[in-house]
Amino acid sequence: TTTNNNNHNNNNYSSMIWESPLLLPYPENHNRSFKGDLVSAIPDVNYFSLDIDGKNHFLVLACDGLWDVMDFEDAARVTSNLLFEKGWSAKKAAVRLAEIAMHLGSSDNITVLVIRFIKNEKSK
């Protein structure tokens, strides 16, 4: 349910009040109302440099279905083990991370992409 004192067609969500259903769990004394945008399109971004001489590099891109139940250190540890200790493909490692998120109780959609960086020996 939404309420707005302004014209509904102006897309100014900052002045809107969102009321949620009773079936969702709320802390005691919560009024079940939220103001403004409920979803943000602003990503969490981390910057880093790769060691050019290293060989075991990968990137995990995932939505909040994974990150709600697993922190980045655990995701990196699991992915590193699957790729470099067990020799799994990046695709199989991504599927396993999604399975782990489901088993950990993620209640959101789960999308995981693992990109493995392979050292190009020809570039020397």
Side-chain angles (χ1 to χ4, degrees):
T1 306
T2 62
T3 57
N4 187 347
N5 295 334
N6 300 327
N7 183 352
H8 282 258
N9 295 326
N10 69 1
N11 291 331
N12 183 4
Y13 294 114
S14 64
S15 64
M16 296 185 83
I17 303 294
W18 304 87
E19 295 177 6
S20 57
L22 289 172
L23 61 103
L24 298 174
Y26 294 97
E28 199 171 312
N29 299 326
H30 194 286
N31 68 2
R32 296 182 14 254
S33 294
F34 303 90
K35 184 176 181 183
D37 290 331
L38 298 181
V39 177
S40 171
I42 300 170
D44 293 330
V45 178
N46 293 310
Y47 296 93
F48 59 93
S49 297
L50 292 177
D51 178 7
I52 295 173
D53 294 329
K55 16 181 189 173
N56 295 337
H57 295 291
F58 60 90
L59 174 67
V60 177
L61 294 174
C63 68
D64 57 346
L66 176 70
W67 304 124
D68 285 347
V69 295
M70 183 180 292
D71 62 29
F72 70 89
E73 289 100 346
D74 286 338
R77 182 183 47 76
V78 168
T79 305
S80 179
N81 178 268
L82 295 175
L83 293 175
F84 307 118
E85 301 297 322
K86 294 188 176 188
W88 288 19
S89 69
K91 180 179 180 179
K92 191 173 177 183
V95 169
R96 183 63 185 136
L97 284 173
E99 290 172 347
I100 292 170
M102 284 187 276
H103 290 295
L104 290 173
S106 179
S107 60
D108 206 339
N109 61 322
I110 304 166
T111 303
V112 181
L113 176 65
V114 173
I115 301 167
R116 182 175 178 185
F117 298 102
I118 299 173
K119 184 177 178 182
N120 185 355
E121 297 296 331
K122 295 178 184 178
S123 66
K124 287 185 173 183

